[in-house]
Amino acid sequence: MLINNLSDIKPKILTEPMTRDEVLKISEMEIKDRVIAMRPGDPRGFLRFATYNFTDQIEYEFADFHYVLMEILYLQFNGNSIETIAQHFDTYPEVINEILVIGFREGAKTTIFKMALIYVICYELRKYINVDSRDKTNSERILFDVVLHLQNNKRIIKDFGNLYTSVRTKDQTEQKRISDFTTNRKPNEDGSIGGMIRVEAHTTQSDVRGRLHNGSRPDLMWLEDFETEITIRSEVETSNIASHISAFKGGLAHSGAWIWYTANYLSEYRNVEGLIQKSKIAKDMVGLIIPIYDSKNNLAWPQKYSLTDMEAKISGKISIQAIKEKMYTIEKGDAPFVAEMLCMPIDYATQEFKQSMFKFITWQELLLKRTRLTITIDSGGSSKDGQKKKLGERDDTGVVYNWVDEDGNWHIKSSGKLMDSKEIMELIFDNNLAYDSVDQGIEKTMFTSAIKPFFDEAKKDRNQYPRLRMLETGGRDKKDRIRGLIPRFEAGKIYFIQGENDKLIDQLLRFPVLKHDDVVDALAYQNDMARKPVAKEDDEMYQARKRGVYATDYEDRRSAFSEIGL
């Protein structure tokens, strides 16, 4: 289930806040009684643990969404008891294995999950915990904070003993980073041995395979801050993160393992959006989207924030107006605030091609139309190795097939992949054989420098003479050429053939912030070439094809697309 309205984010049983009297009462209990009062089976157990053990870190009263998150964690900690859910949470799923929290910056979501991680360790709810982030430094600092409390929080040590006593290295202390640790062995009253919980920090770029502790795979994965403004601009990083999520889910200890996701919502079209959509239908997942305020100016955390500077001066709270002004930039305007504080993807502020512009058609519908085919190719480089960039980035070769009907509508099929010069040449010849009277165009600079010598020789050897036009920028900026497509989209004159344009659509939606736009660039070149089909009786090539006459050297020389003597 997904909860994305502040009006719906209301606690169901944690409606009474922790008071000073309740904290004092807990502090006066015997150790055994206090541990029982904070146990996972009590609905207020984690709330008591967090408030009692981290009192000095809690500067503001908890908001409703904090209590809702603690309720969800309670269900997970309590073993997803159906009886408990039926008693208190009839609107929640019967089983909660995955929790997704998308919240505004400084909303304490990471802090609560740190407390929850320490709670899991203290009550030995999991045995092998992984914390993964795009930047390993981030996940290592989470582990540092956890170890700091295990070694220095006197209340935790008093109630649960010395769970971690190893001496931190000088580097760990100065850099405030720890990559992994294992808690101490802990003899239990029944003679069994507890403790020995393994906790590791990783990056989303690291391999999930082979992660084992005492022969077991991870049973709790916390994925924190895994999608950033850098990753949403990169198809490679986005794909790597998606593969990482899929891999660690496949490598968890069992189907009941827990997964926590904490993230910002920066794009409608990347991995966070995929998790949001999954939370709507998955039977074992709950998602929370928490903006700092909603469309009616209801505050998510009124105990901490006020809307204006004037209100802040009177109340002593933090001004959201001041935060917005601080985050404003000339380049991006309010986009960072909208994305990070209102949980609305940055795409709303930067998109030039909207999802609403896109129209689709099936192959069956296209076959009923009389069309003329034009193919445009934007080469990514002369060799595959030359196309590979640092950090795994690359330039693909974009190819667009455009069937133009008699009304001037475009019908698009496209692809983008690594291709060397020979493969591009073979593609041109294959297209010439596969399609009657096809016009092809290719970016001139790359063709003349890397493909033309082989192409000239291959024409004679194969007795094939593809009609090939050289495409030039003409001094136009690439982004302006791509923007030249917008009027045609707005007029509803472009149709995507269903299932044939995933990469093209992705690049259009991310334009102009994407790093690589090879397929979009190939589509933009269609403005230079695409033409409606001529009347059948005037189409000499159509009549020739009908008689079984195919392209000849003579026909190639008379082609309008032979300006460089091909």
Side-chain angles (χ1 to χ4, degrees):
M1 65 175 297
L2 176 67
I3 308 174
N4 60 353
N5 295 314
L6 286 182
S7 58
D8 296 331
I9 303 178
K10 300 294 183 182
K12 296 178 175 57
I13 61 169
L14 296 182
T15 55
E16 296 297 327
M18 284 287 290
T19 63
R20 292 183 181 275
D21 289 341
E22 187 174 359
V23 174
L24 180 61
K25 182 179 179 180
I26 292 174
S27 66
E28 292 175 347
M29 290 180 177
E30 297 292 329
I31 292 176
K32 185 176 181 180
D33 293 333
R34 184 165 51 246
V35 171
I36 292 174
M38 297 186 298
R39 72 190 186 282
D42 191 305
R44 294 179 71 84
F46 176 54
L47 172 62
R48 290 169 179 153
F49 177 90
T51 309
Y52 171 70
N53 288 295
F54 304 100
T55 300
D56 57 334
Q57 295 184 31
I58 301 174
E59 299 181 35
Y60 303 92
E61 292 180 22
F62 290 127
D64 282 349
F65 72 87
H66 295 130
Y67 291 119
V68 170
L69 177 54
M70 290 181 186
E71 289 178 351
I72 294 169
L73 285 165
Y74 154 66
L75 294 177
Q76 200 173 64
F77 297 153
N78 196 40
N80 297 313
S81 166
I82 296 177
E83 179 182 350
T84 301
I85 294 174
Q87 181 181 355
H88 301 298
F89 305 100
D90 55 355
T91 59
Y92 283 103
E94 292 184 355
V95 174
I96 299 176
N97 291 323
E98 297 183 54
I99 302 173
L100 168 67
V101 179
I102 298 168
F104 60 92
R105 185 196 296 179
E106 300 299 326
K109 60 182 184 294
T110 302
T111 298
I112 288 180
F113 275 103
K114 285 181 188 177
M115 295 175 181
L117 185 57
I118 295 171
Y119 187 74
V120 167
I121 292 171
C122 288
Y123 282 94
E124 300 187 18
L125 303 180
R126 303 281 96 173
K127 288 296 184 183
Y128 185 18
I129 301 166
N130 283 191
V131 180
D132 286 24
S133 179
R134 180 188 179 270
D135 184 353
K136 190 180 180 182
T137 300
N138 187 41
S139 50
E140 288 179 336
R141 285 176 177 169
I142 289 174
L143 264 61
F144 179 89
D145 291 343
V146 170
V147 164
L148 195 65
H149 280 286
L150 296 182
Q151 288 188 325
N152 298 285
N153 190 312
K154 295 180 179 179
R155 293 185 174 186
I156 291 176
I157 294 172
K158 182 177 181 180
D159 291 345
F160 300 96
N162 291 297
L163 299 177
Y164 182 73
T165 53
S166 298
V167 177
R168 284 172 283 149
T169 66
K170 181 179 179 181
D171 181 67
Q172 288 174 336
T173 303
E174 292 179 351
Q175 300 297 322
K176 296 186 177 181
R177 294 164 51 181
I178 291 179
S179 60
D180 59 78
F181 68 90
T182 303
T183 61
N184 298 330
R185 293 169 61 90
K186 182 180 178 183
N188 298 318
E189 293 182 359
D190 60 3
S192 62
I193 300 296
M196 301 178 65
I197 298 170
R198 178 74 174 173
V199 187
E200 296 175 353
H202 295 281
T203 171
T204 53
Q205 308 300 311
S206 63
D207 196 345
V208 176
R209 293 173 297 178
R211 297 188 189 180
L212 293 171
H213 170 55
N214 290 335
S216 298
R217 296 185 181 279
D219 52 8
L220 169 58
M221 174 71 79
W222 177 9
L223 207 60
E224 153 71 2
D225 195 26
F226 56 92
E227 191 156 84
T228 67
E229 288 194 24
I230 295 174
T231 68
I232 65 173
R233 289 177 171 84
S234 168
E235 293 179 47
V236 173
E237 288 215 36
T238 296
S239 177
N240 287 344
I241 293 169
S243 299
H244 187 82
I245 293 173
S246 177
F248 79 60
K249 290 184 71 173
L252 291 174
H254 49 82
S255 60
W258 301 342
I259 306 174
W260 300 339
Y261 308 94
T262 49
N264 291 320
Y265 190 13
L266 302 177
S267 172
E268 280 187 298
Y269 312 103
R270 317 315 279 168
N271 289 300
V272 170
E273 173 64 22
L275 291 170
I276 290 172
Q277 296 304 319
K278 179 185 175 183
S279 70
K280 293 179 180 180
I281 59 175
K283 295 181 180 180
D284 63 345
M285 184 176 183
V286 176
L288 294 176
I289 300 180
I290 310 159
I292 195 168
Y293 62 80
D294 62 16
S295 59
K296 297 180 180 180
N297 288 337
N298 296 314
L299 296 176
W301 199 351
Q303 298 88 342
K304 180 177 180 180
Y305 295 99
S306 61
L307 283 171
T308 67
D309 291 342
M310 182 65 69
E311 292 171 346
K313 288 181 181 179
I314 297 173
S315 65
K317 299 176 184 178
I318 298 173
S319 167
I320 296 176
Q321 179 185 346
I323 295 173
K324 187 174 183 179
E325 291 173 354
K326 184 177 181 180
M327 295 179 70
Y328 182 90
T329 65
I330 295 176
E331 297 82 7
K332 297 181 179 180
D334 289 332
F337 178 84
V338 172
E340 295 185 36
M341 304 304 289
L342 298 184
C343 301
M344 295 173 62
I346 196 170
D347 306 81
Y348 286 140
T350 62
Q351 279 181 335
E352 298 185 28
F353 295 91
K354 310 292 185 181
Q355 188 84 41
S356 58
M357 296 178 179
F358 301 159
K359 301 172 72 174
F360 296 84
I361 191 171
T362 65
W363 279 113
Q364 290 75 14
E365 292 171 323
L366 178 59
L367 289 174
L368 298 177
K369 298 176 178 289
R370 184 166 180 269
T371 60
R372 176 176 180 173
L373 174 61
T374 302
I375 302 172
T376 46
I377 303 170
D378 179 52
S379 173
S382 60
S383 68
K384 290 182 180 178
D385 289 337
Q387 294 174 57
K388 294 178 181 177
K389 307 295 182 183
K390 63 182 180 179
L391 299 177
E393 296 291 354
R394 65 183 190 179
D395 288 324
D396 288 335
T397 291
V399 184
V400 169
Y401 297 77
N402 180 12
W403 286 267
V404 186
D405 68 18
E406 293 170 295
D407 295 322
N409 296 309
W410 292 7
H411 306 85
I412 304 298
K413 169 189 172 183
S414 61
S415 66
K417 61 182 178 180
L418 284 178
M419 299 179 71
D420 58 26
S421 299
K422 185 176 185 301
E423 289 172 326
I424 295 172
M425 183 186 73
E426 292 295 339
L427 174 66
I428 295 170
F429 281 105
D430 289 346
N431 288 336
N432 188 62
L433 288 175
Y435 302 100
D436 288 347
S437 189
V438 60
D439 298 329
Q440 299 188 72
I442 188 169
E443 195 271 323
K444 179 178 179 179
T445 303
M446 184 56 64
F447 180 85
T448 55
S449 64
I451 303 174
K452 185 178 184 298
F454 309 101
F455 187 79
D456 288 344
E457 184 175 349
K459 283 197 305 179
K460 297 175 183 178
D461 292 343
R462 304 182 190 199
N463 195 29
Q464 288 186 52
Y465 300 87
R467 299 198 300 178
L468 192 63
R469 177 176 176 176
M470 297 296 103
L471 302 173
E472 300 181 74
T473 64
R476 296 167 295 173
D477 177 78
K478 177 187 285 192
K479 285 184 169 56
D480 288 338
R481 281 192 289 111
I482 293 173
R483 290 187 177 104
L485 295 165
I486 293 177
R488 192 175 293 273
F489 272 105
E490 291 179 329
K493 304 292 286 185
I494 297 180
Y495 292 80
F496 293 127
I497 299 171
Q498 289 183 356
E500 300 286 358
N501 295 282
D502 290 347
K503 183 165 286 189
L504 172 59
I505 291 172
D506 181 68
Q507 290 185 3
L508 284 167
L509 292 172
R510 289 190 293 115
F511 178 84
V513 300
L514 74 169
K515 292 182 179 179
H516 301 293
D517 49 17
D518 318 283
V519 190
V520 177
D521 203 23
L523 179 64
Y525 275 126
Q526 287 285 337
N527 271 329
D528 296 342
M529 287 192 61
R531 301 290 183 271
K532 293 189 291 186
V534 298
K536 287 187 178 181
E537 57 273 12
D538 297 330
D539 189 348
E540 294 179 9
M541 183 61 65
Y542 172 80
Q543 298 296 337
R545 299 293 189 194
K546 193 173 181 180
R547 297 193 305 271
V549 178
Y550 291 87
T552 64
D553 186 30
Y554 168 78
E555 183 181 327
D556 180 83
R557 286 197 300 271
R558 63 189 282 274
S559 168
F561 304 133
S562 300
E563 67 268 32
I564 62 172
L566 294 180

